[in-house]
Amino acid sequence: DADVTQTPRNRITKTGKRIMLECSQTKGHDRMYWYRQDPGLGLRLIYYSFDVKDINKGEISDGYSVSRQAQAKFSLSLESAIPNQTALYFCATSDPISGTRNTGELFFGEGSRLTVL
Amino acid sequence: GEDVEQSLFLSVREGDSSVINCTYTDSSSTYLYWYKQEPGAGLQLLTYIFSNMDMKQDQRLTVLLNKKDKHLSLRIADTQTGDSAIYFCAERDSGYALNFGKGTSLLVTP
């Protein structure tokens, strides 16, 4: 089983619909992230959370919201989807840095491909 | 956020060496990473380097870091068709999120 699981893997929806992408992890990491990937634009950070009570906006948070339901769960919502939110969305996790204990490596899910018509 | 720049495409012949270059702007970056994304998959860490190192070698992979010029490179020796993928350079910012480049698509031809 994957350590970082995203659902759904693929979704097609219409403009104006509410969409939720879910992410769960079994790595026991405190930190979780949502990125979107667009061809030629790389990965851009949407939101991140360092623990259940800590939520932070990333580079492109407009039009998105998140919920950290538990240490292992971090969901991304599009309240009213629009076509330019068509992208591949990745959830990732990491451990906090503590001296040289951890490299800060991000562990990624397989991605959720969202198409907004 | 800070910019991470890398070329978008690279094509090499099987057996040759590949060199993928990256420049970054955040001089406070402490870790720099190379991730690999195969078609239809998520990103996987290929290798990383601490900012106090100049070079790191791991089997066919060699990472070179020039802190003065803020330049990072990834060399893949004896490139194989299975190395065809998108390679992302990334730096860790002060908030511990990663800033990624746009990715370099490596095509290995027989």
Side-chain angles (χ1 to χ4, degrees), chain B residues 22-42:
Chain B
C22 170
T23 58
Y24 60 98
T25 56
D26 188 350
S27 58
S28 65
S29 296
T30 53
Y31 296 83
L32 295 135
Y33 310 83
W34 285 103
Y35 276 83
K36 178 182 180 182
Q37 183 183 31
E38 296 184 352

Side-chain angles (χ1 to χ4, degrees), chain B residues 16-76:
Chain B
D16 288 348
S17 292
S18 307
V19 179
I20 302 172
N21 294 299
C22 170
T23 58
Y24 60 98
T25 56
D26 188 350
S27 58
S28 65
S29 296
T30 53
Y31 296 83
L32 295 135
Y33 310 83
W34 285 103
Y35 276 83
K36 178 182 180 182
Q37 183 183 31
E38 296 184 352
L43 280 72
Q44 290 194 313
L45 181 70
L46 200 56
T47 188
Y48 64 90
I49 189 167
F50 296 124
S51 59
N52 62 357
M53 297 170 65
D54 297 324
M55 185 182 82
K56 179 179 180 181
Q57 189 151 4
D58 182 3
Q59 299 182 331
R60 292 190 298 123
L61 306 177
T62 303
V63 178
L64 295 178
L65 174 60
N66 182 327
K67 282 195 71 176
K68 176 177 175 291
D69 295 337
K70 298 189 184 68
H71 182 267
L72 183 73
S73 67
L74 173 69
R75 178 177 181 270
I76 305 173

Side-chain angles (χ1 to χ4, degrees), chain A residues 9 31 33 35 37 40-43 45 50 90 97 99 102-106 108-110, chain B residues 8 31 33 35 37 40-43 45 48 50 86 88 92 95-98 100-102:
Chain A
R9 293 293 313 280
R31 299 181 175 185
Y33 310 78
Y35 285 87
Q37 182 181 18
L41 294 179
L43 276 77
L45 182 64
F50 284 174
F90 284 104
I97 302 294
N102 189 282
T103 64
E105 172 188 356
L106 263 60
F108 284 84
E110 293 293 304
Chain B
L8 294 182
Y31 296 83
Y33 310 83
Y35 276 83
Q37 183 183 31
L43 280 72
L45 181 70
Y48 64 90
F50 296 124
I86 302 176
F88 291 93
R92 183 166 69 85
Y96 303 112
L98 296 193
F100 287 86
K102 292 179 171 56

Side-chain angles (χ1 to χ4, degrees), chain A residues 20-65:
Chain A
M20 178 181 286
L21 304 179
E22 298 184 339
C23 177
S24 63
Q25 52 118 343
T26 58
K27 298 191 75 67
H29 290 169
D30 286 327
R31 299 181 175 185
M32 299 187 73
Y33 310 78
W34 276 105
Y35 285 87
R36 67 176 275 178
Q37 182 181 18
D38 298 277
L41 294 179
L43 276 77
R44 292 179 292 167
L45 182 64
I46 307 172
Y47 269 97
Y48 60 104
S49 168
F50 284 174
D51 63 41
V52 175
K53 297 180 181 178
D54 178 77
I55 303 288
N56 303 280
K57 292 183 178 181
E59 180 187 353
I60 54 164
S61 59
D62 287 350
Y64 301 94
S65 62

